[in-house]
Amino acid sequence: MCGIVGYLGNGDAYPVMIKGLKRLEYRGYDSAGVAILENGDLKLYKCKGKVADLENLVEKSSKTGGIGIGHTRWATHGVPNDVNAHPHLSGDQKLALIHNGIIENYASIKAELQSRGHIFLSDTDTEVLVHFIEDVRAKTGVPLFEAVRMALSEVHGAYAIVVIDKENPNQLIAAKKSSPLVIGIGSDDEYFIASDATPIIEYTKNVVYLEDEEVALIDRKEGLKIVTIQNQSKTPYIQALELKLEAIEKGGYDSFMLKEIHEQPRSIRDSFRGRINLQHGIIKMSGIDDHKDKWIAANRIIIVACGTSWHAGLVAEYLFEEFARIPVEVEYASEFRYRDPVIMPGDIVIAISQSGETADTLAAIELAKERGAFIFGVCNVVGSTISRATHTGAYTHAGPEIGVASTKAFTAQVTVLYQIALAVAQARQTLSQDRVTRLMAELNSVPDKVEEVLKTNAIVETIAEIYKDSRNALYLGRGYSFPVALEGALKLKEISYIHAEGYPAAEMKHGPIALIDEEMPVFVIATQGQSYEKVVSNIQEVKARKGKIIAIVTAGDKTVKELADHVIEIPKTDDSLVPIVSVIPLQLLSYHVAVMRGCNVDQPRNLAKSVTVE
Ligand code: F6R
């Protein structure tokens, strides 16, 4: 949520910031701004809209200066407009600050500052914070770095901030709590700072990830110094960045979403490469192998996640129950954290998150940890907060996912959860070795099957053309395909703004059937397998009410073909692997519908890629 970029060095800050903000725009894109410092002159440009709007605004102005901060916003406090856009200035106009997160006690701080004459221009918590820092500095006379630390020690909430001072063109000050911030150390006394490494990647491979409650002073002459909010000095830990530039570029596709959909044969394979050994019929995952006793003794698995990751968790519920015979509860992290959940000895919590930064999932982990649970993380972003907060875990290795709608992360999550379920089943001896070996071989063939499904693109596009103006859509599936129905509906609504609902197919007659008429497209996952006949009956029920059926069927299917208005064929696979294959045409469909409706698929309205506020 919100993108942050900062630069300090001998070059020009502006081009670095604009390029960086474009890379970060997937994190938030309702307004953007930069502040640049040169010879005691603080230039501030900000506006509602995208980074391109900001560029137009700055175009004719002077934009030189070797120190700057930039921000792309996802609004929390106050509507997206020019005034609420970051950076925000202190009352004396000397400090400029950008912020990602929420200052929870901003109202009381604001009231106190107002009573002493501070005047606020915006509705944001961020402006309150920069005035508060100014106030602490004025009252105590301490250097800015110390004032930032002191102010933050009284702040509740989540933040990643960067501050500059008009009177000190040699320093950037940054701090973080529950929102990521990474510092890049370039050659020639150059420093970069950003909310993720994507703006830094082409300048340096040497990075320092700030930890929670750390404040960093980046000084042109003295280098990098880090202290905690409690004023303990820390030695910066410099790591090598592994991200590659190609991974964050569109590679000839019109959008990141389309690129990421097409990357899935590769990303699925990467998520099991080196883990499954077909020859010996074993799965090697250190998060399982190193804690085998815990998995063998597990009484229950609680899965916490949000959105698409929660849907992957639902698939995992079926997998763990079928393969490893462990009862599973799948919880929305946002609900779990605010209940008084019962955690028992022998409970294992699996947290699933693409970004590894989702605030609700992180809070659910902390709560479960406090109550003694063993926590396993399934994350995509290496080194992310969640991957560090869990006891152990497995990365999904899908590569950076930039399109806001999650696609390749979902299939990689399911693939990793599949391997965990198989490995645990092996350890608990709840599946025969023969079945494990056959399922592993089937998993190994999934990338090729996904490749096949991607060839249905033209058929999917034709279907999208027919239904692109629908006002509503229903998605139905049973068993392993129920979470796919939910995911298909989420994909459609989030990028094309068509209202869509996912339901277990049998549940339809308990209410949603009332919606069906000749206008209603009903997408049904009707592959051959355990519930096939039942789903065929559900299709009959829809047809009897004149609904339009678009069915995803197993290649060669005849029964559903006769009933449905349109079919999309997918290769046969085991029931347990159908979600990974059947979700692909639904992703493509949402993509085409959104493009045909003129929507921005990579940056749908009101959304942001990583949700670091609760
Ligand atoms: C939907 C989508 C979101 C995320 C959710 C959780 O396409 O991307 O629903 O799945 O915000 O995000 P992560 O997985 O980063 O925790």
Side-chain angles (χ1 to χ4, degrees):
M1 228 101 280
C2 301
I4 281 182
V5 63
Y7 174 81
L8 173 67
N10 301 318
D12 254 345
Y14 180 75
V16 177
M17 286 189 297
I18 283 295
K19 199 166 187 189
L21 287 179
K22 285 186 178 159
R23 292 255 170 82
L24 290 170
E25 210 169 15
Y26 73 101
R27 297 181 73 95
Y29 35 80
D30 57 45
S31 48
V34 291
I36 308 163
L37 207 56
E38 194 198 24
N39 300 330
D41 187 17
L42 181 62
K43 300 164 197 161
L44 179 70
Y45 309 98
K46 54 184 194 168
C47 63
K48 178 177 180 229
K50 308 247 179 209
V51 177
D53 299 308
L54 175 69
E55 269 186 296
N56 290 338
L57 176 79
V58 184
E59 206 178 351
K60 292 191 188 71
S61 314
S62 155
K63 42 196 180 233
T64 51
I67 174 166
I69 53 177
H71 190 263
T72 169
R73 178 172 185 245
W74 185 86
T76 57
H77 294 65
V79 296
N81 63 20
D82 296 355
V83 178
N84 288 333
H86 299 209
H88 286 280
L89 298 183
S90 54
D92 59 11
Q93 314 270 296
K94 287 183 183 162
L95 306 181
L97 181 145
I98 50 176
H99 167 219
N100 180 7
I102 289 181
I103 306 300
E104 282 165 8
N105 58 337
Y106 86 102
S108 57
I109 300 173
K110 185 173 184 176
E112 160 69 17
L113 292 171
Q114 276 170 327
S115 73
R116 287 191 283 108
H118 283 258
I119 294 166
F120 295 95
L121 307 174
S122 76
D123 306 315
T124 64
D125 50 345
T126 306
E127 192 185 12
V128 174
L129 182 58
V130 67
H131 276 242
F132 187 37
I133 293 169
E134 170 192 13
D135 192 67
V136 170
R137 179 160 79 156
K139 273 202 292 206
T140 57
V142 295
L144 179 61
F145 178 54
E146 180 60 6
V148 169
R149 188 194 69 73
M150 288 166 74
L152 290 177
S153 69
E154 292 185 39
V155 154
H156 307 159
Y159 52 79
I161 61 164
V162 189
V163 196
I164 54 173
D165 179 0
K166 186 177 176 173
E167 290 173 349
N168 191 348
N170 294 317
Q171 288 187 350
L172 280 176
I173 292 163
K176 83 143 231 156
K177 184 180 174 194
S178 307
S179 258
L181 212 50
V182 53
I183 298 168
I185 305 170
S187 51
D188 200 18
D189 297 331
E190 254 188 336
Y191 291 91
F192 307 85
I193 188 154
S195 40
D196 68 46
T198 52
I200 294 178
I201 180 172
E202 64 211 80
Y203 305 108
T204 177
K205 293 272 178 231
N206 297 328
V207 294
V208 174
Y209 287 92
L210 273 193
E211 296 290 336
D212 273 353
E213 305 208 329
E214 285 184 351
V215 191
L217 171 68
I218 305 166
D219 187 287
R220 216 187 274 266
K221 295 186 197 104
E222 285 166 32
L224 175 62
K225 171 183 164 186
I226 298 178
V227 299
T228 64
I229 298 283
Q230 296 75 28
N231 210 10
Q232 279 170 335
S233 170
K234 293 290 251 340
T235 309
Y237 171 55
I238 302 173
Q239 310 185 27
L241 196 59
E242 277 173 12
L243 198 64
K244 293 204 173 69
L245 198 55
E246 316 84 84
I248 56 165
E249 290 182 334
K250 283 191 198 153
Y253 286 93
D254 288 343
S255 66
F256 281 110
M257 183 181 178
L258 192 61
K259 175 190 174 221
E260 286 156 9
I261 290 174
H262 281 89
E263 272 175 353
Q264 289 177 103
R266 198 247 338 123
S267 56
I268 294 166
R269 191 167 275 114
D270 284 352
S271 64
F272 64 69
R273 192 195 302 277
R275 286 177 172 152
I276 61 170
N277 181 330
L278 288 173
Q279 205 188 351
H280 296 103
I282 48 171
I283 297 135
K284 282 218 71 58
M285 296 180 101
S286 57
I288 310 292
D289 300 340
D290 299 349
H291 306 275
K292 219 167 224 166
D293 50 334
K294 287 201 168 59
W295 288 100
I296 291 173
N299 289 325
R300 181 172 64 150
I301 293 174
I302 303 171
I303 296 178
V304 292
C306 304
T308 289
S309 298
W310 185 79
H311 296 157
L314 283 183
V315 177
E317 176 177 23
Y318 290 83
L319 293 170
F320 279 107
E321 295 198 350
E322 181 184 339
F323 295 172
R325 308 303 298 146
I326 305 175
V328 179
E329 285 170 28
V330 188
E331 302 267 4
Y332 285 115
S334 54
E335 287 298 312
F336 179 83
R337 64 179 290 195
Y338 285 116
R339 281 213 317 273
D340 188 7
V342 179
I343 309 270
M344 295 175 292
D347 281 349
I348 293 183
V349 170
I350 301 182
I352 310 170
S353 175
Q354 185 286 127
S355 62
E357 303 295 345
T358 302
D360 284 319
T361 308
L362 189 57
I365 292 169
E366 297 302 345
L367 177 67
K369 233 202 276 184
E370 266 167 37
R371 297 189 179 192
F374 174 68
I375 324 272
F376 188 100
V378 176
C379 291
N380 192 36
V381 177
V382 176
S384 55
T385 310
I386 291 177
S387 68
R388 285 181 283 129
T390 45
H391 293 116
T392 185
Y395 283 118
T396 45
H397 298 309
E401 189 180 66
I402 310 249
V404 165
S406 190
T407 53
K408 64 173 179 172
F410 173 78
T411 49
Q413 285 166 343
V414 175
T415 307
V416 166
L417 290 159
Y418 197 89
Q419 295 167 84
I420 299 170
L422 278 185
V424 174
Q426 259 186 333
R428 290 166 67 97
Q429 301 185 342
T430 46
L431 280 186
S432 69
Q433 182 56 42
D434 183 48
R435 178 136 162 81
V436 172
T437 310
R438 271 187 291 120
L439 290 174
M440 281 170 62
E442 194 53 39
L443 175 63
N444 190 46
S445 72
V446 163
D448 291 340
K449 292 184 178 172
V450 169
E451 196 81 66
E452 273 303 297
V453 181
L454 288 168
K455 293 184 190 151
T456 62
N457 186 44
I459 299 168
V460 176
E461 202 172 346
T462 315
I463 297 171
E465 183 65 48
I466 298 169
Y467 296 103
K468 66 175 192 309
D469 297 320
S470 302
R471 290 168 57 91
N472 300 289
L474 203 56
Y475 286 72
L476 303 177
R478 294 177 88 117
Y480 281 106
S481 295
F482 161 51
V484 180
L486 293 179
E487 177 58 9
L490 177 63
K491 284 294 87 93
L492 187 71
K493 67 186 134 192
E494 71 181 324
I495 60 168
S496 71
Y497 320 137
I498 295 174
H499 170 244
E501 300 265 7
Y503 264 94
E507 189 63 21
M508 179 185 64
K509 55 187 162 299
H510 298 285
I513 200 163
L515 295 168
I516 294 173
D517 59 15
E518 57 280 2
E519 306 271 285
M520 175 68 105
V522 182
F523 297 88
V524 189
I525 300 112
T527 49
Q528 279 159 10
Q530 217 189 4
S531 328
Y532 179 67
E533 268 88 29
K534 305 267 176 221
V535 175
V536 172
S537 305
N538 299 135
I539 292 176
Q540 302 268 22
E541 289 158 11
V542 173
K543 283 315 298 173
R545 283 150 189 94
K546 300 195 168 60
K548 300 280 182 284
I549 291 283
I550 305 99
I552 294 175
V553 299
T554 310
D557 181 286
K558 291 204 173 64
T559 314
V560 177
K561 219 175 239 173
E562 279 182 12
L563 291 171
D565 298 86
H566 316 271
V567 292
I568 303 163
E569 293 195 351
I570 64 170
K572 185 160 181 54
T573 186
D574 190 86
D575 269 3
S576 58
L577 288 164
V578 165
I580 308 177
V581 185
S582 61
V583 77
I584 309 288
L586 299 181
Q587 297 170 345
L588 283 171
L589 181 102
S590 306
Y591 167 81
H592 287 301
V593 170
V595 170
M596 287 169 191
R597 288 166 70 94
C599 303
N600 182 337
V601 292
D602 282 341
Q603 295 172 356
R605 72 182 179 208
N606 305 339
L607 291 173
K609 185 67 185 164
S610 91
V611 185
T612 52
V613 296
E614 64 169 279

PDB file of all heavy atoms in Angstrom, residues 306-309 352-358 361 386 401 404-406 413 487 490-491 494 608-611, ligand 1:
ATOM      1  N   CYS A 306      -5.858 -13.785   3.431  1.00  0.00           N
ATOM      2  CA  CYS A 306      -6.862 -12.846   2.937  1.00  0.00           C
ATOM      3  C   CYS A 306      -7.005 -13.038   1.417  1.00  0.00           C
ATOM      4  O   CYS A 306      -6.046 -13.435   0.751  1.00  0.00           O
ATOM      5  CB  CYS A 306      -6.423 -11.400   3.155  1.00  0.00           C
ATOM      6  SG  CYS A 306      -6.037 -11.011   4.852  1.00  0.00           S
ATOM      7  N   GLY A 307      -8.175 -12.710   0.908  1.00  0.00           N
ATOM      8  CA  GLY A 307      -8.407 -12.628  -0.536  1.00  0.00           C
ATOM      9  C   GLY A 307      -8.072 -13.906  -1.276  1.00  0.00           C
ATOM     10  O   GLY A 307      -8.449 -15.017  -0.885  1.00  0.00           O
ATOM     11  N   THR A 308      -7.327 -13.743  -2.357  1.00  0.00           N
ATOM     12  CA  THR A 308      -6.952 -14.890  -3.181  1.00  0.00           C
ATOM     13  C   THR A 308      -6.157 -15.911  -2.378  1.00  0.00           C
ATOM     14  O   THR A 308      -6.316 -17.123  -2.560  1.00  0.00           O
ATOM     15  CB  THR A 308      -6.141 -14.386  -4.398  1.00  0.00           C
ATOM     16  OG1 THR A 308      -7.049 -13.710  -5.260  1.00  0.00           O
ATOM     17  CG2 THR A 308      -5.487 -15.506  -5.164  1.00  0.00           C
ATOM     18  N   SER A 309      -5.316 -15.441  -1.485  1.00  0.00           N
ATOM     19  CA  SER A 309      -4.526 -16.376  -0.664  1.00  0.00           C
ATOM     20  C   SER A 309      -5.453 -17.207   0.222  1.00  0.00           C
ATOM     21  O   SER A 309      -5.180 -18.373   0.508  1.00  0.00           O
ATOM     22  CB  SER A 309      -3.522 -15.608   0.201  1.00  0.00           C
ATOM     23  OG  SER A 309      -2.624 -14.921  -0.621  1.00  0.00           O
ATOM     24  N   ILE A 352      -0.760 -17.769   4.691  1.00  0.00           N
ATOM     25  CA  ILE A 352      -0.481 -17.699   3.245  1.00  0.00           C
ATOM     26  C   ILE A 352      -0.532 -16.237   2.806  1.00  0.00           C
ATOM     27  O   ILE A 352      -1.522 -15.545   3.086  1.00  0.00           O
ATOM     28  CB  ILE A 352      -1.520 -18.509   2.432  1.00  0.00           C
ATOM     29  CG1 ILE A 352      -1.680 -19.924   3.002  1.00  0.00           C
ATOM     30  CG2 ILE A 352      -1.146 -18.568   0.958  1.00  0.00           C
ATOM     31  CD1 ILE A 352      -2.854 -20.691   2.403  1.00  0.00           C
ATOM     32  N   SER A 353       0.500 -15.792   2.118  1.00  0.00           N
ATOM     33  CA  SER A 353       0.505 -14.405   1.648  1.00  0.00           C
ATOM     34  C   SER A 353       1.472 -14.250   0.475  1.00  0.00           C
ATOM     35  O   SER A 353       2.642 -14.629   0.589  1.00  0.00           O
ATOM     36  CB  SER A 353       0.920 -13.468   2.790  1.00  0.00           C
ATOM     37  OG  SER A 353       1.045 -12.158   2.316  1.00  0.00           O
ATOM     38  N   GLN A 354       0.978 -13.715  -0.613  1.00  0.00           N
ATOM     39  CA  GLN A 354       1.856 -13.438  -1.752  1.00  0.00           C
ATOM     40  C   GLN A 354       2.897 -12.403  -1.346  1.00  0.00           C
ATOM     41  O   GLN A 354       4.084 -12.635  -1.444  1.00  0.00           O
ATOM     42  CB  GLN A 354       1.020 -12.930  -2.934  1.00  0.00           C
ATOM     43  CG  GLN A 354       1.753 -12.706  -4.237  1.00  0.00           C
ATOM     44  CD  GLN A 354       2.651 -11.479  -4.279  1.00  0.00           C
ATOM     45  OE1 GLN A 354       3.834 -11.583  -4.607  1.00  0.00           O
ATOM     46  NE2 GLN A 354       2.136 -10.327  -3.910  1.00  0.00           N
ATOM     47  N   SER A 355       2.406 -11.247  -0.885  1.00  0.00           N
ATOM     48  CA  SER A 355       3.310 -10.123  -0.592  1.00  0.00           C
ATOM     49  C   SER A 355       4.144 -10.362   0.652  1.00  0.00           C
ATOM     50  O   SER A 355       5.243  -9.833   0.782  1.00  0.00           O
ATOM     51  CB  SER A 355       2.489  -8.853  -0.385  1.00  0.00           C
ATOM     52  OG  SER A 355       1.621  -9.031   0.730  1.00  0.00           O
ATOM     53  N   GLY A 356       3.579 -11.137   1.581  1.00  0.00           N
ATOM     54  CA  GLY A 356       4.248 -11.299   2.877  1.00  0.00           C
ATOM     55  C   GLY A 356       4.172 -10.044   3.720  1.00  0.00           C
ATOM     56  O   GLY A 356       4.898  -9.903   4.708  1.00  0.00           O
ATOM     57  N   GLU A 357       3.287  -9.113   3.357  1.00  0.00           N
ATOM     58  CA  GLU A 357       3.194  -7.850   4.095  1.00  0.00           C
ATOM     59  C   GLU A 357       1.775  -7.560   4.583  1.00  0.00           C
ATOM     60  O   GLU A 357       1.553  -6.514   5.197  1.00  0.00           O
ATOM     61  CB  GLU A 357       3.628  -6.663   3.204  1.00  0.00           C
ATOM     62  CG  GLU A 357       5.030  -6.757   2.619  1.00  0.00           C
ATOM     63  CD  GLU A 357       6.134  -6.721   3.669  1.00  0.00           C
ATOM     64  OE1 GLU A 357       5.860  -6.340   4.825  1.00  0.00           O
ATOM     65  OE2 GLU A 357       7.275  -7.105   3.331  1.00  0.00           O
ATOM     66  N   THR A 358       0.822  -8.410   4.279  1.00  0.00           N
ATOM     67  CA  THR A 358      -0.578  -8.104   4.587  1.00  0.00           C
ATOM     68  C   THR A 358      -0.776  -7.939   6.098  1.00  0.00           C
ATOM     69  O   THR A 358      -0.501  -8.855   6.885  1.00  0.00           O
ATOM     70  CB  THR A 358      -1.483  -9.210   4.014  1.00  0.00           C
ATOM     71  OG1 THR A 358      -1.230  -9.261   2.614  1.00  0.00           O
ATOM     72  CG2 THR A 358      -2.946  -8.929   4.260  1.00  0.00           C
ATOM     73  N   THR A 361      -2.931 -10.516   8.092  1.00  0.00           N
ATOM     74  CA  THR A 361      -2.309 -11.841   8.185  1.00  0.00           C
ATOM     75  C   THR A 361      -1.156 -11.796   9.188  1.00  0.00           C
ATOM     76  O   THR A 361      -0.992 -12.701  10.009  1.00  0.00           O
ATOM     77  CB  THR A 361      -1.821 -12.296   6.787  1.00  0.00           C
ATOM     78  OG1 THR A 361      -2.920 -12.159   5.879  1.00  0.00           O
ATOM     79  CG2 THR A 361      -1.353 -13.734   6.785  1.00  0.00           C
ATOM     80  N   ILE A 386       6.224 -11.287   6.700  1.00  0.00           N
ATOM     81  CA  ILE A 386       5.569 -12.523   7.157  1.00  0.00           C
ATOM     82  C   ILE A 386       6.541 -13.691   7.093  1.00  0.00           C
ATOM     83  O   ILE A 386       6.584 -14.534   7.992  1.00  0.00           O
ATOM     84  CB  ILE A 386       4.275 -12.790   6.355  1.00  0.00           C
ATOM     85  CG1 ILE A 386       3.234 -11.729   6.733  1.00  0.00           C
ATOM     86  CG2 ILE A 386       3.743 -14.200   6.585  1.00  0.00           C
ATOM     87  CD1 ILE A 386       1.921 -11.784   5.992  1.00  0.00           C
ATOM     88  N   GLU A 401       5.039 -10.574  -8.517  1.00  0.00           N
ATOM     89  CA  GLU A 401       3.696 -10.424  -9.103  1.00  0.00           C
ATOM     90  C   GLU A 401       3.333  -8.953  -8.971  1.00  0.00           C
ATOM     91  O   GLU A 401       3.195  -8.431  -7.870  1.00  0.00           O
ATOM     92  CB  GLU A 401       2.686 -11.301  -8.359  1.00  0.00           C
ATOM     93  CG  GLU A 401       1.340 -11.350  -9.064  1.00  0.00           C
ATOM     94  CD  GLU A 401       0.333 -12.220  -8.324  1.00  0.00           C
ATOM     95  OE1 GLU A 401      -0.055 -11.845  -7.204  1.00  0.00           O
ATOM     96  OE2 GLU A 401      -0.066 -13.257  -8.863  1.00  0.00           O
ATOM     97  N   VAL A 404      -2.203  -6.153  -9.970  1.00  0.00           N
ATOM     98  CA  VAL A 404      -2.873  -6.159  -8.661  1.00  0.00           C
ATOM     99  C   VAL A 404      -3.692  -7.436  -8.471  1.00  0.00           C
ATOM    100  O   VAL A 404      -3.741  -7.992  -7.370  1.00  0.00           O
ATOM    101  CB  VAL A 404      -3.718  -4.863  -8.497  1.00  0.00           C
ATOM    102  CG1 VAL A 404      -4.708  -5.001  -7.351  1.00  0.00           C
ATOM    103  CG2 VAL A 404      -2.784  -3.692  -8.240  1.00  0.00           C
ATOM    104  N   ALA A 405      -4.323  -7.912  -9.530  1.00  0.00           N
ATOM    105  CA  ALA A 405      -5.099  -9.155  -9.405  1.00  0.00           C
ATOM    106  C   ALA A 405      -4.130 -10.332  -9.367  1.00  0.00           C
ATOM    107  O   ALA A 405      -3.314 -10.522 -10.265  1.00  0.00           O
ATOM    108  CB  ALA A 405      -6.042  -9.289 -10.580  1.00  0.00           C
ATOM    109  N   SER A 406      -4.245 -11.107  -8.327  1.00  0.00           N
ATOM    110  CA  SER A 406      -3.308 -12.209  -8.143  1.00  0.00           C
ATOM    111  C   SER A 406      -3.639 -13.359  -9.092  1.00  0.00           C
ATOM    112  O   SER A 406      -4.782 -13.790  -9.179  1.00  0.00           O
ATOM    113  CB  SER A 406      -3.411 -12.670  -6.693  1.00  0.00           C
ATOM    114  OG  SER A 406      -2.389 -13.551  -6.395  1.00  0.00           O
ATOM    115  N   GLN A 413       0.813 -20.912  -4.913  1.00  0.00           N
ATOM    116  CA  GLN A 413       0.444 -21.216  -3.516  1.00  0.00           C
ATOM    117  C   GLN A 413      -0.180 -22.608  -3.427  1.00  0.00           C
ATOM    118  O   GLN A 413       0.173 -23.417  -2.568  1.00  0.00           O
ATOM    119  CB  GLN A 413      -0.568 -20.183  -3.008  1.00  0.00           C
ATOM    120  CG  GLN A 413       0.047 -18.835  -2.678  1.00  0.00           C
ATOM    121  CD  GLN A 413      -0.990 -17.732  -2.515  1.00  0.00           C
ATOM    122  OE1 GLN A 413      -2.144 -17.867  -2.933  1.00  0.00           O
ATOM    123  NE2 GLN A 413      -0.593 -16.631  -1.906  1.00  0.00           N
ATOM    124  N   GLU A 487     -12.659 -17.846  -6.525  1.00  0.00           N
ATOM    125  CA  GLU A 487     -11.532 -17.115  -7.105  1.00  0.00           C
ATOM    126  C   GLU A 487     -11.918 -16.518  -8.472  1.00  0.00           C
ATOM    127  O   GLU A 487     -11.563 -15.382  -8.781  1.00  0.00           O
ATOM    128  CB  GLU A 487     -10.316 -18.051  -7.214  1.00  0.00           C
ATOM    129  CG  GLU A 487      -9.074 -17.490  -7.859  1.00  0.00           C
ATOM    130  CD  GLU A 487      -8.501 -16.244  -7.179  1.00  0.00           C
ATOM    131  OE1 GLU A 487      -8.948 -15.865  -6.084  1.00  0.00           O
ATOM    132  OE2 GLU A 487      -7.631 -15.620  -7.799  1.00  0.00           O
ATOM    133  N   LEU A 490     -13.982 -13.482  -7.794  1.00  0.00           N
ATOM    134  CA  LEU A 490     -13.163 -12.368  -7.285  1.00  0.00           C
ATOM    135  C   LEU A 490     -12.387 -11.713  -8.425  1.00  0.00           C
ATOM    136  O   LEU A 490     -12.328 -10.480  -8.529  1.00  0.00           O
ATOM    137  CB  LEU A 490     -12.199 -12.875  -6.199  1.00  0.00           C
ATOM    138  CG  LEU A 490     -11.232 -11.837  -5.623  1.00  0.00           C
ATOM    139  CD1 LEU A 490     -11.972 -10.711  -4.921  1.00  0.00           C
ATOM    140  CD2 LEU A 490     -10.241 -12.480  -4.664  1.00  0.00           C
ATOM    141  N   LYS A 491     -11.821 -12.542  -9.307  1.00  0.00           N
ATOM    142  CA  LYS A 491     -11.037 -11.983 -10.426  1.00  0.00           C
ATOM    143  C   LYS A 491     -11.920 -11.079 -11.281  1.00  0.00           C
ATOM    144  O   LYS A 491     -11.520 -10.004 -11.677  1.00  0.00           O
ATOM    145  CB  LYS A 491     -10.458 -13.081 -11.327  1.00  0.00           C
ATOM    146  CG  LYS A 491      -9.278 -13.848 -10.844  1.00  0.00           C
ATOM    147  CD  LYS A 491      -7.992 -13.078 -10.695  1.00  0.00           C
ATOM    148  CE  LYS A 491      -7.901 -12.418  -9.352  1.00  0.00           C
ATOM    149  NZ  LYS A 491      -7.248 -13.082  -8.292  1.00  0.00           N
ATOM    150  N   GLU A 494     -12.979  -7.750  -9.325  1.00  0.00           N
ATOM    151  CA  GLU A 494     -11.957  -6.770  -8.960  1.00  0.00           C
ATOM    152  C   GLU A 494     -11.371  -6.027 -10.157  1.00  0.00           C
ATOM    153  O   GLU A 494     -10.949  -4.891 -10.016  1.00  0.00           O
ATOM    154  CB  GLU A 494     -10.855  -7.389  -8.113  1.00  0.00           C
ATOM    155  CG  GLU A 494      -9.945  -8.335  -8.836  1.00  0.00           C
ATOM    156  CD  GLU A 494      -8.880  -8.933  -7.927  1.00  0.00           C
ATOM    157  OE1 GLU A 494      -8.386  -8.250  -7.038  1.00  0.00           O
ATOM    158  OE2 GLU A 494      -8.536 -10.116  -8.146  1.00  0.00           O
ATOM    159  N   ALA A 608      -4.991  -1.975  -4.095  1.00  0.00           N
ATOM    160  CA  ALA A 608      -3.537  -1.844  -4.060  1.00  0.00           C
ATOM    161  C   ALA A 608      -2.974  -3.236  -3.901  1.00  0.00           C
ATOM    162  O   ALA A 608      -3.661  -4.137  -3.428  1.00  0.00           O
ATOM    163  CB  ALA A 608      -3.094  -0.965  -2.903  1.00  0.00           C
ATOM    164  N   LYS A 609      -1.739  -3.416  -4.299  1.00  0.00           N
ATOM    165  CA  LYS A 609      -1.186  -4.758  -4.338  1.00  0.00           C
ATOM    166  C   LYS A 609      -0.922  -5.340  -2.956  1.00  0.00           C
ATOM    167  O   LYS A 609      -1.200  -6.491  -2.701  1.00  0.00           O
ATOM    168  CB  LYS A 609       0.099  -4.748  -5.162  1.00  0.00           C
ATOM    169  CG  LYS A 609       0.709  -6.120  -5.377  1.00  0.00           C
ATOM    170  CD  LYS A 609      -0.172  -6.978  -6.251  1.00  0.00           C
ATOM    171  CE  LYS A 609       0.329  -8.386  -6.393  1.00  0.00           C
ATOM    172  NZ  LYS A 609      -0.718  -9.276  -6.919  1.00  0.00           N
ATOM    173  N   SER A 610      -0.319  -4.551  -2.089  1.00  0.00           N
ATOM    174  CA  SER A 610      -0.046  -5.161  -0.787  1.00  0.00           C
ATOM    175  C   SER A 610      -0.745  -4.326   0.272  1.00  0.00           C
ATOM    176  O   SER A 610      -0.560  -3.119   0.354  1.00  0.00           O
ATOM    177  CB  SER A 610       1.455  -5.329  -0.586  1.00  0.00           C
ATOM    178  OG  SER A 610       2.016  -4.228   0.032  1.00  0.00           O
ATOM    179  N   VAL A 611      -1.581  -5.012   1.051  1.00  0.00           N
ATOM    180  CA  VAL A 611      -2.507  -4.298   1.933  1.00  0.00           C
ATOM    181  C   VAL A 611      -1.883  -4.225   3.333  1.00  0.00           C
ATOM    182  O   VAL A 611      -2.131  -5.071   4.183  1.00  0.00           O
ATOM    183  CB  VAL A 611      -3.892  -4.979   1.926  1.00  0.00           C
ATOM    184  CG1 VAL A 611      -4.888  -4.185   2.733  1.00  0.00           C
ATOM    185  CG2 VAL A 611      -4.387  -5.113   0.487  1.00  0.00           C
TER     186      VAL A 611
HETATM  187  C1  F6R B   1      -6.892 -10.550  -5.336  1.00  0.00           C
HETATM  188  C2  F6R B   1      -5.764 -10.215  -4.502  1.00  0.00           C
HETATM  189  C3  F6R B   1      -5.992  -9.992  -3.056  1.00  0.00           C
HETATM  190  C4  F6R B   1      -4.848 -10.606  -2.239  1.00  0.00           C
HETATM  191  C5  F6R B   1      -5.015 -10.257  -0.760  1.00  0.00           C
HETATM  192  C6  F6R B   1      -3.956 -10.921   0.087  1.00  0.00           C
HETATM  193  O1  F6R B   1      -6.519 -10.731  -6.652  1.00  0.00           O
HETATM  194  O2  F6R B   1      -4.669 -10.089  -4.957  1.00  0.00           O
HETATM  195  O3  F6R B   1      -7.225 -10.504  -2.664  1.00  0.00           O
HETATM  196  O4  F6R B   1      -4.857 -11.982  -2.430  1.00  0.00           O
HETATM  197  O5  F6R B   1      -4.953  -8.879  -0.600  1.00  0.00           O
HETATM  198  O6  F6R B   1      -2.682 -10.497  -0.284  1.00  0.00           O
HETATM  199  P1  F6R B   1      -1.395 -11.314   0.101  1.00  0.00           P
HETATM  200  O7  F6R B   1      -1.478 -12.632  -0.570  1.00  0.00           O
HETATM  201  O8  F6R B   1      -0.270 -10.480  -0.391  1.00  0.00           O
HETATM  202  O9  F6R B   1      -1.400 -11.460   1.592  1.00  0.00           O
END
